[in-house]
């Protein structure tokens, strides 16, 4: 499974540096010189500038970080082979991804990566099925498990110990003890 760790934004300066919208909890570990990141085109790529006589620039399948630095709350990255602002502009909207197999599990047994939870069955304490985790929403007060109910509706479950007492990764399930009415909202 490919995990999005960033999205390339606008160029910064004239030497090919770009801004990156960070989508990982560990930017210091992901955006280091020498790291090779896979790419996925964004939803609306800009027109590609010409990089030579009649040769359009194509976003490579992988980009190698030449230099990375944090500046005013964002990451600025220079990639190998991106020499100028025009070429950097062609990268705008490109998603930077890593394979979930390359991501180390958290040290804390009570902490989980989103990709570990997506697809798990959700059951109540008696083992009755409630649905399946389809994604995790990160809200200001707590994370929310987005649950697809058996009848197709969606439910939001606060990912707090009082409601989610157990996550059984090996068993492929999440035990949820919802208060009355939570799944009816």
């Amino acid at each position: 499974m490919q995990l999005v760790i960033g999205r390339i934004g606008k160029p910064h300066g004239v030497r090919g540096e770009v801004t990156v919208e960070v989508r990982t909890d560990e930017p210091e570990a992901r955006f280091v010189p020498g790291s090779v990141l896979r790419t996925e085109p964004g939803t609306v790529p800009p027109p590609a500038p010409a990089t030579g006589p009649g040769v359009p620039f194509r976003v490579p399948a992988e980009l190698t970080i030449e230099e990375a630095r944090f500046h005013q709350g964002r990451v600025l990255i220079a990639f190998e082979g991106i020499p100028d602002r025009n070429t950097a502009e062609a990268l705008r909207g490109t998603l930077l991804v890593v394979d979930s197999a390359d991501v180390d599990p958290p040290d804390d047994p009570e902490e989980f990566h989103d990709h570990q939870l997506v697809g798990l069955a959700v059951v109540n304490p008696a083992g009755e099925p409630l649905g399946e985790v389809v994604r995790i929403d990160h809200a200001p007060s707590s994370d929310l498990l987005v649950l697809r109910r058996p009848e197709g509706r969606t439910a939001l479950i606060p990912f707090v110990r009082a409601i989610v007492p157990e996550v059984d990764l090996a068993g492929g399930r999440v035990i949820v003890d919802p208060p009355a009415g939570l799944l009816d909202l």
Side-chain angles (χ1 to χ4, degrees):
M1 169 189 268
Q2 296 295 312
L3 304 175
V4 176
I5 62 166
R7 182 179 160 279
I8 297 177
K10 64 184 181 179
H12 180 81
V14 297
R15 296 192 175 134
E17 236 178 0
V18 294
T19 60
V20 173
E21 174 190 325
V22 175
R23 296 188 185 174
T24 177
D25 290 341
E26 302 169 329
E28 299 83 10
R30 298 274 171 241
F31 302 115
V32 295
S35 294
V36 178
L37 304 175
R38 297 202 43 80
T39 63
E40 279 188 13
T43 54
V44 184
T51 57
V55 179
F57 176 80
R58 299 210 190 288
V59 175
E62 294 181 338
L63 290 168
T64 302
I65 297 176
E66 189 172 273
E67 183 181 330
R69 61 190 171 103
F70 292 85
H71 177 68
Q72 297 180 350
R74 58 185 169 181
V75 180
L76 300 177
I77 296 180
F79 292 106
E80 290 179 9
I82 308 299
D84 57 37
R85 183 178 187 88
N86 288 340
T87 309
E89 180 65 41
L91 296 175
R92 189 187 291 227
T94 300
L95 299 176
L96 301 171
V97 298
V98 296
D99 193 299
S100 61
D102 297 335
V103 177
D104 293 330
D107 294 333
D108 184 353
E110 297 295 316
E111 188 177 317
F112 306 94
H113 291 299
D114 292 2
H115 71 275
Q116 294 176 294
L117 301 172
V118 173
L120 294 181
V122 178
V123 298
N124 67 15
E128 298 165 346
L130 299 174
E132 177 184 340
V133 177
V134 292
R135 74 172 188 274
I136 313 302
D137 284 351
H138 300 280
S141 60
S142 73
D143 292 338
L144 299 168
L145 298 176
V146 179
L147 174 70
R148 182 183 315 116
R149 303 275 292 140
E151 66 275 6
R153 291 184 312 112
T154 300
L156 300 176
I157 300 177
F159 194 25
V160 295
R161 180 167 291 287
I163 299 173
V164 184
E166 183 180 344
V167 175
D168 179 8
L169 292 178
R173 67 187 188 147
V174 177
I175 297 174
V176 173
D177 191 8
L182 179 67
L183 299 177
D184 298 327
L185 296 176

